Amino acid sequence: VRLEESAGGSVQAGGSLEVSCKLSESTLWYCMGWFRQAPGKEREEVARIDVYKKTVYADSVKGRFTVSKDNAKNTVYLQMNSLKPEDTAMYYCAAQADAYCSSTFKIWGQEINITVSS
């Protein structure tokens, strides 16, 4: 099982970007997550969505980012609005065959470079 991620991008502060990851099999019973790692910082979880489409967000992105999952396309999305320079990071999608997102993510996509300029 693997994840195929979309390209990253650059945007000015206040702008929006959407990134996505496609799983090589049905996402129906997968918990999907998004993580990021900024230079010199530890990786942090940004958002996750379980099989019932319940979502959880980091405080730093609440109200600005939206995670969604399209099981028909086996794809998870991260819509990022009102972007700030501190959102600049490598972003990663992750998946785990776990309905309630209760276990460690084991399937990871490649990095997606997101740069937000001031």
Side-chain angles (χ1 to χ4, degrees):
V1 180
R2 65 187 187 279
L3 286 160
E4 182 178 345
E5 59 284 339
S6 64
S10 297
V11 66
Q12 288 192 325
S16 297
L17 280 174
E18 182 180 75
V19 291
S20 63
C21 274
K22 184 172 183 176
L23 192 67
S24 59
E25 61 181 50
S26 174
T27 54
L28 188 61
W29 295 110
Y30 276 82
C31 169
M32 308 291 292
W34 288 96
F35 292 74
R36 68 185 181 186
Q37 187 166 18
K41 294 188 177 181
E42 293 189 354
R43 186 177 66 190
E44 65 169 340
E45 182 174 328
V46 174
R48 62 171 61 188
I49 182 167
D50 70 13
V51 301
Y52 302 103
K53 299 194 176 178
K54 177 183 176 183
T55 56
V56 177
Y57 296 94
D59 288 343
S60 58
V61 306
K62 276 182 187 174
R64 301 188 297 120
F65 289 15
T66 301
V67 59
S68 61
K69 185 159 70 99
D70 185 339
N71 292 326
K73 296 182 179 179
N74 300 335
T75 300
V76 63
Y77 302 90
L78 184 67
Q79 175 68 44
M80 302 179 284
N81 298 328
S82 302
L83 282 160
K84 304 175 181 180
E86 51 264 43
D87 295 316
T88 295
M90 291 295 184
Y91 284 71
Y92 301 85
C93 58
Q96 177 62 5
D98 175 351
Y100 297 102
C101 296
S102 60
S103 58
T104 304
F105 286 99
K106 292 193 170 84
I107 303 164
W108 291 85
Q110 297 297 308
E111 65 270 11
I112 301 172
N113 192 353
I114 302 296
T115 301
V116 184
S117 57
S118 56

